[in-house]
Amino acid sequence: MTATRTDRGPRSRDAILQAASDLCREQGYAAVTMEAIATRARVGKPTLYRWWPSKGAVFLDVVLDKLVEPAIELPDTGDMVRDLRTWIRGFADLFTDPHARQLLVGLLGAAQTDTELATVLREKVQRPLQAGNRQRIIAAQDAGELPAMDPTLLEELLISPPWYRLLVSGEPVTREYADQLVDAVLSVRPQRPTAAPPQK
Amino acid sequence: MTATRTDRGPRSRDAILQAASDLCREQGYAAVTMEAIATRARVGKPTLYRWWPSKGAVFLDVVLDKLVEPAIELPDTGDMVRDLRTWIRGFADLFTDPHARQLLVGLLGAAQTDTELATVLREKVQRPLQAGNRQRIIAAQDAGELPAMDPTLLEELLISPPWYRLLVSGEPVTREYADQLVDAVLSVRPQRPTAAPPQK
């Protein structure tokens, strides 16, 4: 498990995450070692390991601090369709930025064979985001703003194609693609609706 | 690059791929080494490295031989909607089988930071499959059997959610989920169709 913020002085925590982020930008995720992070941040290796059990755990906190909160949350302006567009365009921008891309593929790659990292990633990032989005999606479905279908599937139809392009096909995720994707998912007309169809 | 079949005797190639597959089943992808594969297959390490540059390259051929051809190709029975159901159920079965799952996440995980492996994976697996499927999808759209939309996006809407569940959320990919997904994608009613809408 990664440590919470109160376990350490905020200055060295920030120095460590910044060092990891800089090294990744300079050398690529695969080449970064715990030793190099400690040296760059001017902390001892035992100190680093006391807080983070692995390189993946350090990069999880880099991603949480620097990328996820500003970019992966569904915005809430009161206009759900516009919010969905902004949200998926946010994925496009994130997955297009070379540094963010490097961090995310490195982290997700490591999580495929590091069960502990995968668990933390899901519990600290993926599930909380999904739970919040689910409530928003259900409310918008009740208001007739979104297709009446399983809300988890609706969310997955929106976010899976960008992730597929990032992790499997390597195709670019442009804003144009994001808009095209949102248009397609909003035009789903369920044959057997899972909720009562909205009345207009 | 991985070697082609003609580079080596079929017996030792099969022995090597079988050894890699067995070791992955017994120990998990992360624990398997090139040394252990060579020992189990009774070949020298230099021989192994002459044919495959990395563990990832060996497992790519394991996946190509044992999993992909039977499971990931879109079938062709003449009934496109039924074929899509069978195809996505095939992903569900593949991603549910513990051994296949282990192989795929290990390989895809390695590909995130191994550029050469990622390139081979895309050129030997993902792009050829996509190109074949694209022709089928366009023909079915022309016949009015599938929603008129970008055929690449249509394919991605079908296969990305299973991949997202495998590589990101870790949620199970059941046959029920596969059917629900196909139903949703088939019920897309494009607002601004990219091709002339089919006449009934």
Side-chain angles (χ1 to χ4, degrees):
Chain A
M1 301 296 252
T2 55
T4 58
R5 277 165 207 243
T6 52
D7 290 332
R8 68 204 87 141
R11 199 168 304 171
S12 63
R13 181 181 190 278
D14 285 353
I16 288 164
L17 299 186
Q18 191 60 52
S21 175
D22 291 346
L23 286 165
C24 180
R25 192 188 296 269
E26 293 162 18
Q27 304 174 0
Y29 184 94
V32 181
T33 61
M34 286 295 262
E35 182 134 26
I37 296 170
T39 304
R40 174 74 65 104
R42 299 185 187 190
V43 299
K45 241 171 101 176
T47 308
L48 183 59
Y49 273 105
R50 214 183 64 222
W51 293 338
W52 292 278
S54 65
K55 179 176 118 178
V58 178
F59 279 106
L60 176 63
D61 278 352
V62 172
V63 166
L64 280 171
D65 268 34
K66 295 186 185 292
L67 297 180
V68 169
E69 288 180 26
I72 296 191
E73 261 181 287
L74 176 55
D76 189 357
T77 66
D79 177 344
M80 187 62 169
V81 171
R82 184 207 279 183
D83 289 345
L84 288 180
R85 277 184 213 290
T86 308
W87 185 44
I88 302 303
R89 282 181 166 216
F91 277 93
D93 293 347
L94 187 66
F95 291 178
T96 301
D97 176 78
H99 184 50
R101 197 177 169 93
Q102 173 88 252
L103 281 170
L104 287 168
V105 303
L107 190 62
L108 268 290
Q112 300 311 320
T113 46
D114 179 340
T115 315
E116 194 185 357
L117 178 62
T119 304
V120 175
L121 196 59
R122 282 161 193 165
E123 286 177 2
K124 285 184 76 166
V125 187
Q126 190 259 326
R127 296 231 169 92
L129 284 171
Q130 190 176 45
N133 295 344
R134 191 182 160 84
Q135 293 314 309
R136 299 274 315 283
I137 288 170
I138 291 171
Q141 287 176 318
D142 289 346
E145 291 168 5
L146 292 180
M149 59 187 293
D150 182 280
T152 301
L153 182 60
L154 181 61
E155 179 176 3
E156 288 174 342
L157 284 170
L158 289 163
I159 65 176
S160 300
W163 279 108
Y164 173 81
R165 289 189 158 212
L166 184 72
L167 299 175
V168 183
S169 77
E171 294 291 319
V173 184
T174 62
R175 289 187 156 207
E176 188 189 12
Y177 177 75
D179 290 348
Q180 194 192 9
L181 172 61
V182 174
D183 284 344
V185 176
L186 290 178
S187 68
V188 172
R189 296 284 168 269
Q191 308 294 302
R192 293 161 297 179
T194 53
Q199 304 292 329
K200 253 277 152 75
Chain B
M1 300 297 256
T2 56
T4 58
R5 279 167 204 240
T6 51
D7 291 330
R8 65 203 89 139
R11 198 169 303 172
S12 63
R13 181 180 191 277
D14 285 353
I16 288 164
L17 298 186
Q18 191 60 51
S21 175
D22 291 345
L23 286 166
C24 181
R25 194 189 296 270
E26 293 162 20
Q27 305 175 0
Y29 184 93
V32 181
T33 61
M34 286 293 264
E35 181 134 26
I37 295 170
T39 305
R40 175 74 65 104
R42 300 186 185 188
V43 299
K45 242 171 98 177
T47 309
L48 184 58
Y49 273 106
R50 212 183 65 221
W51 293 339
W52 291 279
S54 65
K55 180 176 116 177
V58 178
F59 279 106
L60 175 62
D61 277 352
V62 172
V63 166
L64 279 171
D65 267 34
K66 296 187 185 292
L67 297 179
V68 169
E69 288 180 26
I72 295 191
E73 260 182 285
L74 176 55
D76 189 357
T77 66
D79 178 343
M80 186 63 171
V81 171
R82 184 207 275 182
D83 289 345
L84 288 180
R85 279 185 212 291
T86 308
W87 184 45
I88 303 302
R89 282 181 167 216
F91 277 94
D93 294 347
L94 186 67
F95 291 179
T96 300
D97 175 78
H99 183 52
R101 198 178 168 91
Q102 173 88 251
L103 280 171
L104 287 168
V105 303
L107 190 63
L108 267 290
Q112 299 311 317
T113 46
D114 179 339
T115 314
E116 195 185 355
L117 178 62
T119 302
V120 176
L121 196 59
R122 281 162 194 165
E123 286 176 2
K124 284 184 77 167
V125 187
Q126 190 259 325
R127 296 231 171 93
L129 283 171
Q130 192 176 44
N133 296 342
R134 191 183 159 83
Q135 293 312 311
R136 298 272 317 281
I137 289 170
I138 291 172
Q141 287 176 318
D142 289 346
E145 291 167 5
L146 292 180
M149 60 188 292
D150 183 281
T152 301
L153 182 61
L154 180 62
E155 178 176 6
E156 287 175 341
L157 284 171
L158 288 164
I159 64 176
S160 301
W163 280 108
Y164 173 81
R165 289 191 159 210
L166 183 73
L167 300 175
V168 183
S169 77
E171 294 291 321
V173 184
T174 63
R175 288 186 158 210
E176 189 188 12
Y177 177 76
D179 290 348
Q180 194 191 9
L181 172 60
V182 174
D183 285 343
V185 176
L186 290 178
S187 69
V188 171
R189 295 286 169 271
Q191 307 295 304
R192 291 162 299 178
T194 54
Q199 303 293 327
K200 254 275 150 77

